[in-house]
Amino acid sequence: MNTSTAKPGSLYLVPTPLDFGVSQDSATAPSQWLPAETLTAASSLTHWITENAKSTRAFLKRVEATQGLAAPLQGQHITELPRAAHKKGDHTPDTQGDALARTLLAPALLGHDMGLISEAGMPAIADPGSSIVRAAHAMGLRVVPLTGPVSLMLALAASGLNGQNFAFVGYVPQEATERTQRVRELESLALKSGQTQIFIETPYRNTALLQALLKTLHPHTRLAVCCALTLHNQAVRSALVHDWKRGNGALAGLPLDAPAVFLIGR
């Protein structure tokens, strides 16, 4: 990749297989879910901005086994996004946060191509990184999104719900009363407008969220739950709520301890 100081580097948005956020099982080759062009680009980078340095090193180790690396692991420059970006997100423009993002991108002004990477999936989508992308554009850097798995789009495609009009709304509230109110708001919007509503939860709360959805949603609302997408135990179920409730096996066969995407609509 470009290391000349005469020309700024580019920012590559590097997706990772979704199992990287669950485990670092080296038996799964990254080529199973990432095309050759993405792996080639990742292998040639030496400067990274990441959500989690440990998972990034695990990713690079697996890339090294199949592609080689431009610099050994110990020679890779890996900088983590600040903790605030993890906890509060960095999707809303913020003067202090955007200034920090420019600082993190300083190597690009010296000619180094850089990679932005999250724990799993595509950075800046349901994960931090938007501030880095905004800063890159403001600095005149070339921004290059690479091809790889994006669980939200995989779930939408597998759900049977409206893929022409949809919204990702992040997390719903944890507190029961607030969660119920928010779910009813999203359901009303989905049923009136036809817009599919997509949301996620921390894996250890997935079961509680699914139970709340089955209790709160209208019987004829369609609910889709897509778990462990691209993993060996992936499972997708899409049905009307009253069909979910038939029998006692609504949760059976769903690996709800893994990352999941929830979708509701007509």
Side-chain angles (χ1 to χ4, degrees):
M1 289 271 170
N2 174 33
T3 58
S4 170
T5 57
K7 181 181 179 182
S10 298
L11 176 67
Y12 286 82
L13 311 185
V14 182
T16 58
L18 300 177
D19 67 331
F20 280 43
V22 180
S23 67
Q24 280 86 45
D25 180 5
S26 59
T28 303
S31 57
Q32 182 174 348
W33 296 109
L34 297 178
E37 292 82 359
T38 295
L39 289 171
T40 297
S43 69
S44 62
L45 297 170
T46 58
H47 289 70
W48 299 87
I49 300 171
T50 180
E51 180 182 6
N52 183 291
K54 181 178 179 181
S55 62
T56 296
R57 291 188 187 97
F59 169 67
L60 291 173
K61 185 176 181 180
R62 291 162 75 175
V63 172
E64 183 178 36
T66 58
Q67 291 282 125
L69 295 174
L73 279 173
Q74 58 268 33
Q76 297 282 333
H77 300 269
I78 301 173
T79 303
E80 285 190 344
L81 287 165
R83 188 170 181 81
H86 295 221
K87 296 295 183 181
K88 299 180 181 179
D90 63 345
H91 305 295
T92 302
D94 169 78
T95 301
Q96 184 177 359
D98 289 350
L100 176 59
R102 285 175 175 257
T103 300
L104 296 178
L105 286 167
L109 297 180
L110 300 177
H112 296 285
D113 287 334
M114 301 188 70
L116 175 64
I117 189 169
S118 66
E119 282 197 278
M122 179 65 76
I125 298 182
D127 271 322
S130 297
S131 62
I132 302 298
V133 178
R134 286 194 303 273
H137 286 297
M139 296 164 68
L141 303 177
R142 178 171 168 254
V143 176
V144 185
L146 299 175
T147 303
V150 182
S151 61
L152 302 180
M153 296 298 97
L154 296 174
L156 180 61
S159 71
L161 287 161
N162 189 348
Q164 299 287 343
N165 185 9
F166 55 89
F168 172 59
V169 298
Y171 293 83
V172 295
Q174 297 176 30
E175 195 277 323
T177 301
E178 294 180 1
R179 181 177 58 206
T180 296
Q181 180 180 348
R182 180 58 171 156
V183 167
R184 287 176 175 161
E185 290 173 352
L186 295 174
E187 181 183 38
S188 177
L189 177 59
L191 297 182
K192 289 179 180 179
S193 68
Q195 183 182 73
T196 301
Q197 303 297 306
I198 308 171
F199 44 98
I200 56 176
E201 184 51 281
T202 302
Y204 72 85
R205 297 194 189 104
N206 282 342
T207 298
L209 175 56
L210 178 52
Q211 291 171 337
L213 292 172
L214 295 177
K215 181 179 178 180
T216 304
L217 294 171
H218 187 279
H220 295 287
T221 294
R222 177 167 289 275
L223 166 65
V225 182
C226 305
C227 303
L229 292 172
T230 74
L231 305 184
H232 68 90
N233 59 333
Q234 73 174 12
V236 175
R237 184 175 183 193
S238 178
L240 301 182
V241 169
H242 71 74
D243 290 327
W244 275 90
K245 291 181 176 180
R246 288 180 179 176
N248 297 317
L251 278 61
L254 290 176
L256 290 168
D257 57 342
V261 180
F262 299 82
L263 310 92
I264 59 174
R266 291 176 178 172

